[in-house]
Every structure is written in C-alpha cells, then in structure tokens.
Amino acid sequence: MPHSTILITTIAVSLGLALIMGIIAQRLKLPVLVGYLLAGMIIGPYSPGFVADIELSNQLAEIGIILLMFGVGLHFSLDDLLAVRRIALPGAIAQIAMATVLGAMIAISWDWSIGGSIVFGLALSVASTVVLLRALEQHGQLKSINGRIAVGWLIVEDLVVVLVLVLLPPLSAGLISENGAVDGTQLLMTLMITLGKVSVFIAFMLIVGKRLFPWLLWHVASTKSNELFTLCVIAVAVGIAYGAAILFDVSFALGAFFSGMVMRESSLSHRAAQESLPLRDAFSVLFFVSVGMLFDPHILIEEPLRVLIVVGIILLGKSLVAFILVLLFRYPLNTALTVSVSLAQIGELSFILASLGLTIGLLPPEGYSLILAGAFISITLNPLVFQTAEPIQNWIRARSSLARRLERAIDPLAELPMAVASNYVTNHVVIVGYGAVGKRVSEILVKKEIHFVVADHNREIVERLRKDGIHAVAGNAADPAVLIQAHISRASVLIITAADALRVQQMVETTHILNPQVEILISTHDAEDAARLQKENAGMVFLDEQELANNITHHVLNKLQSHR
C-alpha cells in the first residue's frame, strides 16, 4: 500500500548522518555539536545532493526546543543561583547589556534595522549551557566555585533569554518600523496584554502546577512502570508547552521551561531527568541538525570579514567584558579567566533567539547565517580556548601589576581583621572549603569551643560567616597568600575539603613550607584522588564513601555486641 515516508526519511537521514559526523567530531577532539551542525549543512538546501524536508525538520526542531528548555527548567536551581547571586546576577546582566550593545552597533554600521541589530547583539551575548557544562566537567571544575559562578552566570542568561522570548513578539512591530511610525498606545496595549497572559500562566504554574504535576509524577511512579513514568515526563513537558501556546499565547520555550521548573519540585525530579534524557538528546540532535540546514556556507566566502568580526565579539569582546567584571567584583584572576573562557561561545540559546528573530521578520537571513557561523566556529574553538586559560593566567600575573592589584587590592575579605586576637590564631584549626563537610566540622568545633579560621573561594560565604562572628578569609587557598592570612604558620591542624586534587597538592606543599609540624586532614569523594594523595603522603585522607561505610559498620558491630 503506497504511503508517504517523508517523516521517516527525514528522521532516519538526520539521525544517521548526525551519528557519523558526531563520531568524527569526537575523534577530532571537537564538541559533538559541531558534528550535528555539519550534518545539517550536508543535507541542507545550500549543499548538493539529498535535501531533507526543511518544513518538517523545523517542526521536529520545535520539539527539540521544547525538550531543551524543559531540561533547562528541570536543572534550574534557585539555590545555586542564590549562592553566587552577588556576582552572577549583576555580572551576567552587565555582560549581556554590553555585548548586546557591541553587536548591535556593528550591525547598525552594516545598515541593518534597529530591531534586527538588537536581536543580533542579544544572540551573540548568551552562551551555550550544553557546551559550558561539558567543558567544565571535562576540566573537573563543575563543582568548584569557579564552575558554580559560571553556571550561575548561565542561569541568569537563561532567564534573560526566556524574558526576551516573551517580550520580542509584541515589541516586533515597533522594532521592524524603520521610522518608528507605530502607534505607541497600541504597542503598549499589546505589551500589557502579553505580560498579563504570561503572568496568568506563571501564576497558574506556581500555584496549581507546582502541586499538581509533582503529585502526578509520584502517582505514576507508584505504578512501578518505567514506560509510564517516562511517558508522563514527556507528556507533561510537551503538553504544558503546547497548552501554554494555545491558551496563553506563550512561546513553546517558556511553557517548556516552566514545566521543567515545577517538575523539579518533585522528589523524583532526578529520575525524571534521567528517564527523559535519551529522548531529549535525540530531539536535541534533530534541533541542531535543523539549525545546520539553514546555514548558508557561502557567507564564509562572500563575507569573511563580517564572520571574523562576529567571532571576535564572541571570543574576545564578551569574554573580555566578563573578565573585567569578575575582577571588579574582587574575585581572583583564576575565577575571572574561567568565567570568561566559559562564555567564549554561543549555542542553543542563540539559535532559539535567532530563529524567533527570523520568523517575526526582525533578523535578516544574513544575520542568521552570521550567528550560525559564529556558533560553529566558537564551539569548535572553545576546547582550545579553555586550554589557554592557565598560560594566560601565568602571563598576566607575570607582566600585569594592574591585574594583580585588581585581584586583591584593598580587599577586606582577603585578610583577617586586625581585631582578631593573637591567641585565637595560635594552635587553631584552618578549614579550607565551607561546603557540606566544612560546615559540619565547623559546627562541631564551635560546640567544643575550639578556635578555627575558614578559607573559602566564595566571597558571599565569607561575608555571611563574618556576619555570624566566624573568622574567615576569601580566596583560593592554593595561593600561599590566603593560607598566610589564615595564619597557617601557627595552626595545629589543616582540614582541606576542596574537590580539586591539584589545588589540594598545592595547599599541602605551601603548608609544609610554612608549617612543617601541622597535621593535615583531607576529605575527598573521589577514590582515585584519595589513592593519589595517600601515595604522595599529602596527609591523612578521608574518602567520603569509605568513612560512611566505616561508620555504619561500626554502628552495626556495636549493636550486635550489645545483644550478646
């Protein structure tokens, strides 16, 4: 029986070619996203040979956007953002504003419309969450304070993009007009109606959805059917996105983002993320392939200068802005470089913005191709850029007195107050890292009235500790100056709870020079790091899982002996 196979052909060719190009990219030590974009270019209308159905690919890409934004909402952590809010919130907003202005000014000089220039600048100002998380994970910095600041920065960028996706359609009429001849009252009314609908939708999700959907997830989980559980997660994601668009005129992206946010309230959110991951990944691949299909490679030949300018804004412009902002917040040079290289790329958020701008007639096709070219090149170069962070740091510290002054200049948090009594910092305990372990240890020391000083990379934690009357210094304890400020030379015990094995080794070496007699205790959750540190005689090493097992076993043995 004859039937149409356009859908099957599009999916089969897209996924198959994406697999091949993804493997090639991985073998070349490139992000797999590069392979997916190349796959789209190969089957796109600008390349010879087979051409996939663009309209159908765009609809599949919409599902990819829904699941991508659902994943963003599902992993959105208000606690993570609040932990670094004083640097991530103002820093990200300032960086987006300055990068947007830079990109818009360049576009205006090319005789683009104001609206198209703003969309272009916004698309260049926001980085890819997918690329960032993978880069931080590969370099072992995801759980470090530098990684947390970078992730918090990206969370703010995600929220800004969500807001832009809401406001851009009602504002597009005024932005498209070259002479500004638009009814201001009508524009204001349209904007107010849009914001009203969005507010009703958000209220519904926070009041009803926050209770209903976690309950539904728990109810489905009680059936003990993995298929039903996965189906529930996907149905909620796609269903809310579709319902939000139909009932509230809200974009699919915003609906999906809030569906992920309310789903996070469930105790089963981690399982929901894991169960939906394969389908999210599959449709995300189709999204990146569809983006690659719309890329016109001729722009690399016809407009090489403009492509270089776009890449320069992404790799140098916004990264330099972020670098300066982090230093102005008095964070170390290492943090400034980590954040700046993390942002030296654009990805899925930029694609979503560019697609919307193209759809509503703000962004010219040339602008879309330039954004795709910038994303393609910046994602490809990002691993290399990450590797240059440490050499750049050493070069700056060796040659720039200004950077060194910005890093620690007249910083009240970088040294203990003069009012701290000498006997308090004699035979005391130095705790490096105020995470879960450091906090528990400090609480016990307070009860036992044992003096201690905390050294932590997070300035906001140090500020809070000082308000609570606990002596603390801000900075990277791998820097000898931080341990000196914690008076390690007169301490009796050093407790290190940092996750980075390299930093731990640097702290141990510094401590051995300043105070050879101090006892060093190291807490880690990584078995390989524990073995390496024990082999190097860094100190007494406590492996989290092993200590938990020892405590449980000790409790069981005591219990059994008491019954004999």
Side-chain angles (χ1 to χ4, degrees), residues 89-110:
L89 189 59
I93 292 175
Q95 177 256 310
I96 289 174
M98 297 176 75
T100 299
V101 169
L102 180 61
M105 289 175 62
I106 293 293
I108 289 173
S109 71
W110 295 337

Side-chain angles (χ1 to χ4, degrees), residues 140-200:
Q141 297 193 46
L142 188 58
K143 295 183 179 180
S144 68
I145 182 59
N146 292 349
R148 289 174 185 170
I149 291 174
V151 170
W153 202 290
L154 258 292
I155 289 174
V156 177
E157 290 192 351
D158 291 348
L159 294 177
V160 170
V161 171
V162 168
L163 183 62
V164 170
L165 292 175
V166 171
L167 296 179
L168 201 55
L171 290 174
S172 60
L175 292 173
I176 290 174
S177 176
E178 293 290 343
N179 55 9
V182 64
D183 188 342
T185 304
Q186 182 64 35
L187 179 60
L188 181 61
M189 286 296 296
T190 304
L191 185 59
M192 293 299 292
I193 291 172
T194 301
L195 289 176
K197 290 179 179 179
V198 171
S199 300
V200 172

Side-chain angles (χ1 to χ4, degrees), residues 435-499:
V437 176
K439 184 177 180 181
R440 294 283 181 87
V441 171
S442 67
E443 290 172 350
I444 295 172
L445 295 180
V446 168
K447 291 180 181 178
K448 299 292 184 180
E449 297 184 349
I450 297 174
H451 296 169
F452 66 93
V453 175
V454 174
D456 196 279
H457 212 153
N458 193 329
R459 296 174 57 80
E460 295 176 33
I461 288 178
V462 172
E463 286 182 347
R464 188 172 69 248
L465 289 174
R466 290 194 176 187
K467 288 179 181 177
D468 294 338
I470 296 175
H471 295 306
V473 292
N476 182 357
D479 181 354
V482 176
L483 289 176
I484 290 172
Q485 286 298 326
H487 294 272
I488 190 66
S489 61
R490 293 191 288 178
S492 59
V493 179
L494 169 65
I495 301 174
I496 303 175
T497 66

